[in-house]
Amino acid sequence: MSGNHEKRAFKYRFYPTGAQAAELSRTFGCVRKVYNLALGARTEAWTRQERVNYNATSAMLTAWKKTEEPAFLNDVSSVPLQQTLRHLQTAFTHFFAKRAKYPRFKSRKKSRKSAEYTTSGFRFRADGRLTLAKMADPLDIVWSRPLPEGAEPSTVTVSQDAAGRWFVSLLCEDPAIKPLPAADEAVGVDVGLDHLLTLSTGEKVASPRHERRDRARLARAQRELSRKAAGDGANRRKARRKVARVHARIADRRRDHLHKLTTRLVRENQTIVIEDLAVRNMVRDHTTARAVSDAAWAEFRRLLEYKAVWYGREVIAVDRFFPSSRLCSACGTLQGKMPLSVRTWTCACGTRHDRDTNAARNLLAGLAASACGAGVRPQRSTPGGQSATKQETPRRKP
């Protein structure tokens, strides 16, 4: 391929044989072990005011393989072990640049089960057969959608989720990722709980409430789990997996819905104006945390931003202190305090407003004054050091 295209990860479900599942499970364990050993070594060096880089941890890996205790590292492919050292190096790079917290050790029960293979660790055939290192047979992949014509994966990531499902993600260049024809449209987007999105055009997108639809099923599965004896017994593992399957079902539906929404917004509009929300602080309020989490505003913004970059669109985040709900979009008059129970109101100029539609229109109209001009504005803090939260979030039980 030309190498000038953006890369996209194509994720598929697959069904491993017993031998493949055992090999991958060993690999996941070794990846976690190497990551923790390297993190421990780097942390110890950090206390001595020394820095250990990727090359040093790679040399440590060679030494660990020669010792008696972690000699089992020789039983799996070395490629994912080297990759986890590179991921650790990236984590430290973000830490030193103050973009992330200090890396944490991986837990056997809670950490994600995954392994990444570069081109030396797998063989991919044009007919779709993918064979990983240390395996004799190709993976039984369900090709739910085709790869780009002539695609050659640069990395392959194999993972298993909490529900026991196996996935393989292939990173390929995708010629379909290119700027769309310029559009004249711009839209303001106000997010909420009763309505997931309200657009400045007046359109409202109802909240699907994916979690609420399966709440009874989830509660039943959680009750069954709570009755199982503590520990790591077979019955408790089965009950835990049943809970995970319900969560996976909810997450899959939510992700699919958000993908369709964000793709539509990016295709139809050149500029999309949203509000810069402190979602992490909002979920601390127990009265609305469940509904806010189910709405997945942070995931909506993440999808919107990377798709805008792919297709040559612009996403602008207006400062959360901008009084979008209390400002008349017709005459610009700022209203006084407005209880959250007030969903419609009439301005002194005689214009009657729907609260959410008015907010979306004000976000669009106020982008020049309240947003950074070239991209997404970072979050800011109140004078007291606490990040502000969305003023429109109703305080009610989800």
Side-chain angles (χ1 to χ4, degrees):
M1 300 183 70
S2 64
N4 297 323
H5 302 122
E6 290 280 352
K7 289 190 174 182
R8 169 184 282 176
F10 293 83
K11 190 174 182 180
Y12 304 92
R13 190 168 179 181
F14 75 98
Y15 296 86
T17 64
Q20 289 173 338
E23 175 65 28
L24 289 173
S25 295
R26 284 194 297 270
T27 303
F28 295 158
C30 290
V31 165
R32 183 182 64 253
K33 180 70 173 180
V34 168
Y35 186 95
N36 288 341
L37 286 173
L39 177 55
R42 295 185 70 147
T43 301
E44 184 180 349
W46 176 255
T47 61
R48 302 192 303 268
Q49 301 300 312
E50 299 176 3
R51 286 196 180 185
V52 176
N53 58 17
Y54 162 76
N55 292 331
T57 55
S58 181
M60 291 178 187
L61 175 59
T62 302
W64 292 332
K65 288 183 176 182
K66 295 178 181 178
T67 58
E68 183 176 351
E69 182 182 353
F72 56 84
L73 298 177
N74 292 293
D75 297 336
V76 302
S77 171
S78 62
V79 175
L81 304 185
Q82 292 289 346
Q83 284 300 99
T84 197
L85 294 180
R86 293 188 178 96
H87 293 162
L88 180 61
Q89 177 64 37
T90 301
F92 270 100
T93 299
H94 291 320
F95 168 70
F96 291 131
K98 298 183 179 180
R99 294 192 296 266
K101 295 181 179 181
Y102 193 83
R104 296 183 296 179
F105 290 95
K106 292 184 180 293
S107 163
R108 183 175 68 87
K109 292 183 179 180
K110 296 182 180 180
S111 64
R112 181 171 180 260
K113 298 178 180 179
S114 67
E116 184 178 277
Y117 295 79
T118 55
T119 51
S120 61
F122 66 87
R123 184 173 66 255
F124 183 74
R125 302 291 190 189
D127 60 1
R129 286 184 296 171
L130 175 66
T131 307
L132 302 178
K134 299 283 187 177
M135 293 186 186
D137 300 318
L139 301 180
D140 181 13
I141 301 174
V142 179
W143 297 101
S144 52
R145 57 173 172 166
L147 288 173
E149 186 176 354
E152 297 179 1
S154 56
T155 61
V156 169
T157 303
V158 183
S159 61
Q160 185 184 27
D161 67 7
R165 303 179 300 177
W166 295 85
F167 295 95
V168 59
S169 179
L170 293 80
L171 186 64
C172 307
E173 290 184 347
D174 188 359
I177 300 178
K178 56 185 178 181
L180 295 170
D184 297 330
E185 289 77 12
V187 67
V189 180
D190 182 70
V191 297
L193 298 180
D194 290 331
H195 291 92
L196 181 61
L197 303 180
T198 301
L199 308 185
S200 55
T201 59
E203 178 186 352
K204 293 190 175 186
V205 179
S207 178
R209 292 186 169 89
H210 299 290
E211 186 270 342
R212 180 180 289 184
R213 288 168 57 187
D214 272 343
R215 187 172 294 180
R217 181 181 302 184
L218 178 60
R220 186 164 56 250
Q222 289 173 330
R223 282 196 301 270
E224 292 178 5
L225 174 60
S226 68
R227 296 190 186 107
K228 305 304 178 186
D232 197 30
N235 287 338
R236 187 171 182 82
R237 284 199 301 270
K238 287 192 291 186
R240 189 185 298 120
R241 183 158 293 183
K242 184 177 292 187
V243 173
R245 287 196 187 104
V246 180
H247 278 298
R249 171 187 169 92
I250 295 169
D252 288 346
R253 288 204 307 260
R254 181 187 296 127
R255 189 181 306 109
D256 178 70
H257 185 249
L258 290 178
H259 267 297
K260 291 174 181 176
L261 272 179
T262 52
T263 298
R264 177 198 149 197
L265 288 173
V266 167
R267 285 178 176 172
E268 295 178 353
N269 301 279
Q270 184 66 36
T271 303
I272 304 165
V273 188
I274 60 176
E275 190 174 5
D276 188 13
L277 301 177
V279 179
R280 186 172 297 179
N281 288 344
M282 297 167 69
V283 296
R284 294 174 182 171
D285 181 358
H286 71 277
T287 60
T288 58
R290 199 167 192 172
V292 171
S293 297
D294 194 24
W297 294 334
E299 179 69 1
F300 167 77
R301 175 171 174 171
R302 186 187 71 84
L303 297 178
L304 200 61
E305 288 177 355
Y306 84 70
K307 290 180 182 181
V309 172
W310 277 1
Y311 300 115
R313 303 310 201 199
E314 184 179 23
V315 175
I316 297 177
V318 173
D319 192 288
R320 69 178 68 99
F321 293 96
F322 180 63
S324 57
S325 294
R326 298 186 294 115
L327 192 66
C328 176
S329 58
C331 68
T333 302
L334 181 63
Q335 307 299 310
K337 290 185 178 181
M338 187 179 297
L340 292 170
S341 58
V342 176
R343 308 315 300 172
T344 59
W345 57 279
T346 303
C347 179
C349 69
T351 306
R352 184 170 178 81
H353 294 292
D354 175 272
R355 184 189 185 108
D356 298 332
T357 304
N358 179 65
R361 289 172 178 168
N362 281 324
L363 289 174
L364 178 60
L367 68 90
S370 302
C372 66
V376 177
R377 180 171 183 164
Q379 295 182 0
R380 80 180 198 188
S381 300
T382 62
Q386 297 294 324
S387 296
T389 59
K390 180 176 174 63
Q391 300 302 313
E392 284 74 16
T393 304
R395 289 185 173 274
R396 60 173 177 76
K397 292 184 178 181

